[in-house]
Amino acid sequence: MNLKLAIQKSGRLHEDSIKLLNDCGIAVKSGNNQLRAVAENFPLEVYFLRDDDIPQYVEDGVAHIGIVGENVLFEKDKEAEIVEMLGFGKCRLSIAVKKTDAYSSPSFLEGKKIATSYPVLTQRFLDDNHIKAEIHEISGSVELAPGIGLADAVCDLVSSGSTLFMNGLQEVQSILKSQAVLVRNKSLNDEQQKILDQLVFRIRAVRKAKNNKYVLLNAPNSSLQQIIDLLPGMKSPTVLPLANGEWSSVHSVLPEDEFWEKIEALRKAGAQGILVVPIEKMII
Ligand code: ATP
Ligand code: ZN
């Protein structure tokens, strides 16, 4: 029995989805315009689909699980439950208007025409703000709409904002922050659930490892306690004596987001020869 996973066939989520599986030790070959691939060493069958279709496939149980952006998941509003945030495909759904327009609040949009590929989320934003505006649904190149007189504003995905800028638009309001998520069908049987649990266990180990670094350093014994206090470690740091009796080697795990700050403090406390090593998997 294989668990069926739907991922994007090609596009911004495709490579990161395959890489996540590979990092989990699951070998999936993609390419050659194929619709499906069977993993070599894990009970998983991968379906390559348009991202827009993934929520429906998962709701219907044709795919048991899927990887899709929250933007698409919420727009489609299907019965698919989020199992895990995946930390890639980060973007936001934002309202943008012409650079020359002065937007100070959503009321700017009253009576205006908004082009978007996300009519459901756009309408929800308008309703929440008690705004009446006309939504013009288009499936691609939304950013061109104001320039050709099709709309006054757009509601579109943004990551850097450079596409908007190049089209004479300015991002004025973000209505949803999005990243790729792993979703599941509501009713999996025990066997399917077990495979999903194994997959999620691996995904968590991979993601934790990415967010942490292994740090080795030499500490003068005179400031050893001060240095230990700076380091969390998985339980507490490992301390080993060096051949030179006045120094110790200290090993620990540091979260990426505290990293530079901690390294500074460690150097100030007298740490030397600091080595920082990536962690491949982390199971706690
Ligand atoms: P498909 O052919 O599968 O329908 P698509 O053209 O709709 O592909 P892509 O542009 O490949 O989709 O984007 C897929 C997903 O990647 C988006 O739904 C979103 O979750 C995420 N994403 C991340 N950054 C961006 C961005 N700057 N612009 C668009 N999507 C982004
Ligand atoms: Zn799409």
Side-chain angles (χ1 to χ4, degrees), residues 8 50-53 72 118 139:
Q8 194 188 21
R50 283 201 58 195
D51 65 347
D52 313 66
D53 297 333
V72 170
Y118 294 85
S139 61

Side-chain angles (χ1 to χ4, degrees), residues 261-274:
E261 210 179 299
K262 281 278 160 95
I263 295 292
E264 259 324 287
L266 289 166
R267 265 162 38 90
K268 279 208 184 101
Q272 290 184 9
I274 304 175

Side-chain angles (χ1 to χ4, degrees), residues 26-63:
I26 301 169
V28 177
K29 289 202 192 82
S30 76
N32 294 344
N33 240 348
Q34 57 188 351
L35 179 68
R36 91 186 236 288
V38 179
E40 281 163 21
N41 48 2
F42 192 81
L44 194 73
E45 202 170 313
V46 183
Y47 284 78
F48 303 104
L49 303 168
R50 283 201 58 195
D51 65 347
D52 313 66
D53 297 333
I54 292 175
Q56 182 73 62
Y57 274 75
V58 172
E59 176 178 292
D60 294 344
V62 178

Side-chain angles (χ1 to χ4, degrees), residues 76-256:
K76 301 293 175 191
D77 212 8
K78 301 289 177 198
E79 296 261 311
E81 278 174 9
I82 295 182
V83 187
E84 194 74 15
M85 312 297 265
L86 299 177
F88 61 83
K90 285 191 176 163
C91 57
R92 48 196 190 273
L93 186 62
S94 290
I95 304 279
V97 300
K98 288 183 189 150
K99 266 181 218 161
T100 46
D101 284 337
Y103 178 105
S104 56
S105 77
S107 62
F108 172 90
L109 299 168
E110 185 70 44
K112 298 252 177 16
K113 218 175 188 185
I114 308 170
T116 185
S117 307
Y118 294 85
V120 172
L121 295 174
T122 306
Q123 189 61 56
R124 196 171 299 160
F125 168 76
L126 293 173
D127 291 346
D128 288 348
N129 288 282
H130 312 287
I131 305 288
K132 288 210 167 29
E134 186 186 333
I135 293 177
H136 191 90
E137 184 178 351
I138 44 180
S139 61
S141 304
V142 170
E143 69 281 358
L144 302 180
I148 57 176
L150 198 64
D152 307 296
V154 302
C155 182
D156 201 9
L157 291 180
V158 187
S159 47
S160 70
S162 59
T163 309
L164 292 179
F165 189 81
M166 282 184 321
N167 286 285
L169 301 176
Q170 53 170 333
E171 180 182 5
V172 288
Q173 177 118 37
S174 164
I175 73 168
L176 175 77
K177 272 175 79 175
S178 175
Q179 61 177 284
V181 290
L182 181 69
V183 294
R184 53 166 287 169
N185 174 270
K186 285 237 160 125
S187 40
L188 298 183
N189 67 31
D190 289 352
E191 201 182 349
Q192 292 158 349
Q193 183 64 51
K194 219 170 117 197
I195 303 171
L196 175 57
D197 289 345
Q198 282 173 358
L199 178 65
V200 171
F201 177 80
R202 292 190 190 191
I203 290 175
R204 287 189 182 151
V206 166
R207 294 210 54 221
K208 263 228 151 61
K210 273 210 188 87
N211 294 332
N212 287 276
K213 299 277 179 249
Y214 193 69
V215 179
L216 304 94
L217 58 84
N218 293 331
N221 288 341
S222 53
S223 55
L224 187 57
Q225 194 53 50
Q226 194 190 345
I227 286 174
I228 289 172
D229 290 344
L230 285 167
L231 292 166
M234 278 168 80
K235 286 219 162 43
S236 71
T238 308
V239 180
L240 300 166
L242 289 188
N244 174 341
E246 288 167 19
W247 288 77
S248 299
S249 169
V250 180
H251 302 191
S252 185
V253 173
L254 268 188
E256 178 100 71

